[in-house]
C-alpha cells in the first residue's frame, strides 16, 4: 500500500464531505485499513480548521488502540473506536466514514426512514436503500469499544448505519466509495424531508421499477462520480 497516496485520498474524502455538507465545522473523520493492526485516520492537529481544510499531513498511521504516529501535537478522534470496531468485526471493509449530515439526522428524528423512494435519480442510492439502512438508537459519542460494539450490532452486515441524533457511519472499499454512499443516504434523506414538507408521504419504488434499475458499473457510479466530486472541489477554490 502506498501510504502517501492513501493519505491524499483520505484528505480528499474529508474535503468532499465538507463541501457536500455531510460534516460541518470540525466534525467527522475518515479512515482506511492498512493491515490487521493498523489504520490511517484523519486526526486533529495543532492547526485544526475542520474537514474542509484537511491536508495529507493530518492523516496519521495508528494501531487499533490509537497509538502511533502522533508527533507534532496530533491526537486521534474521540470516536476512533467507531472506526476500529467496524474494522475488527467486518474484515471486508477497507474504509470507514463518520459524518454528521443535517438532513439525515432530521429525517430520522421526524420518523422518515431511508427508503428506496428514488429510481433513476440515484440508482446506487436506490439499491443501497432497498437493502435497508438501519438506525442505531443511541445518540452518544462513540468513544469506547463497548459503545462502538453496540453501533456495529445495529449496523449488522449493511454498509451504512444512521446514528439517531448524531449522524451516520458509512463503509466502503475505499474512501471514495464510503463517501459516495453517505452522499446517497443524504440525498434520500433530503428528498424525504422535501416530500413530507410538501404534504406528501414518501413511498417506496414498486418492485418492478426497482428490478429495472441496472448496475451501471463502478467505472461510472464510483470512478466518474468521484472525479466529479474532486472537480467540484477544484472549481470551488
Amino acid at each position: 500500500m502506498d501510504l502517501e497516496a492513501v493519505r491524499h485520498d483520505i484528505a480528499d474524502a474529508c474535503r468532499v464531505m465538507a463541501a457536500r455538507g455531510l460534516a460541518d465545522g470540525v466534525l467527522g473523520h475518515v479512515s482506511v485499513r492498512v493491515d490487521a493492526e493498523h489504520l490511517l485516520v484523519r486526526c486533529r492537529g495543532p492547526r485544526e480548521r475542520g474537514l474542509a481544510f484537511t491536508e495529507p499531513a493530518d492523516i496519521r498511521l495508528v494501531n487499533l488502540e490509537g497509538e502511533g504516529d502522533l508527533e507534532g501535537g496530533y491526537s486521534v478522534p474521540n470516536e476512533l473506536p467507531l472506526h476500529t470496531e467496524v474494522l475488527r468485526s467486518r474484515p471486508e471493509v477497507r474504509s470507514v466514514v463518520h459524518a454528521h449530515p443535517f438532513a439525515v439526522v432530521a429525517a430520522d428524528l421526524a420518523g422518515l426512514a431511508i427508503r428506496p423512494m428514488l429510481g433513476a435519480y440515484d440508482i446506487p442510492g436506490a439499491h443501497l436503500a432497498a437493502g435497508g439502512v438501519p438506525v442505531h438508537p443511541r445518540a452518544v459519542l462513540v468513544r469506547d469499544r463497548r459503545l462502538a460494539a453496540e453501533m456495529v450490532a445495529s449496523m449488522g452486515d449493511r454498509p451504512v448505519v444512521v446514528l439517531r441524533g448524531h449522524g451516520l457511519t458509512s463503509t466502503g472499499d475505499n474512501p471514495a466509495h464510503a463517501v459516495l454512499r453517505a452522499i446517497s443516504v443524504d440525498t434520500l434523506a433530503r428528498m424525504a424531508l422535501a416530500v413530507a414538507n410538501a404534504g406528501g408521504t414518501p413511498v417506496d419504488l414498486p418492485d418492478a421499477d426497482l428490478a429495472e434499475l441496472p448496475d451501471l458499473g463502478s467505472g461510472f457510479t464510483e470512478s466518474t462520480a468521484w472525479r466529479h466530486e474532486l472537480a467540484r472541489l477544484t472549481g470551488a477554490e
Side-chain angles (χ1 to χ4, degrees), residues 157-183:
D157 63 356
R158 298 303 297 147
V160 181
V161 61
V162 173
L163 312 182
R164 178 153 295 156
H166 185 172
L168 63 74
T169 298
S170 177
T171 64
D173 298 330
N174 50 58
H177 192 197
V179 172
L180 289 169
R181 281 173 162 170
I183 290 172

Side-chain angles (χ1 to χ4, degrees), residues 75-139:
S75 60
V76 296
N78 289 325
E79 293 187 297
L80 182 70
L82 177 153
H83 295 262
T84 57
E85 205 63 20
V86 171
L87 295 176
R88 280 185 170 105
S89 62
R90 300 277 298 273
E92 80 281 8
V93 169
R94 303 299 303 174
S95 182
V96 179
V97 160
H98 178 53
H100 290 211
F102 182 92
V104 173
V105 175
D108 175 61
L109 293 177
L112 301 172
I114 304 299
R115 301 296 307 159
M117 57 182 295
L118 301 179
Y121 187 95
D122 180 0
I123 293 175
H127 289 306
L128 173 63
V133 177
V135 177
H136 181 52
R138 304 199 66 189

Side-chain angles (χ1 to χ4, degrees), residues 50-76:
L51 258 66
F53 306 100
T54 301
E55 301 174 354
D58 299 324
I59 315 305
R60 297 299 172 119
L61 180 67
V62 299
N63 63 20
L64 296 178
E65 305 306 319
E67 303 164 338
D69 176 21
L70 297 172
E71 295 180 0
Y74 278 87
S75 60
V76 296

Side-chain angles (χ1 to χ4, degrees), residues 5-19 30 42 51-52 54-56 59 175-176 179 226 229-230 233-234 237:
V6 178
R7 284 187 171 93
H8 281 270
D9 290 343
I10 295 174
D12 284 342
C14 290
R15 293 167 63 219
V16 168
M17 285 169 59
V30 178
R42 201 270 189 193
L51 258 66
T54 301
E55 301 174 354
I59 315 305
V179 172
W226 195 244
E229 296 298 333
L230 297 180
L233 286 180
T234 303
E237 293 174 348

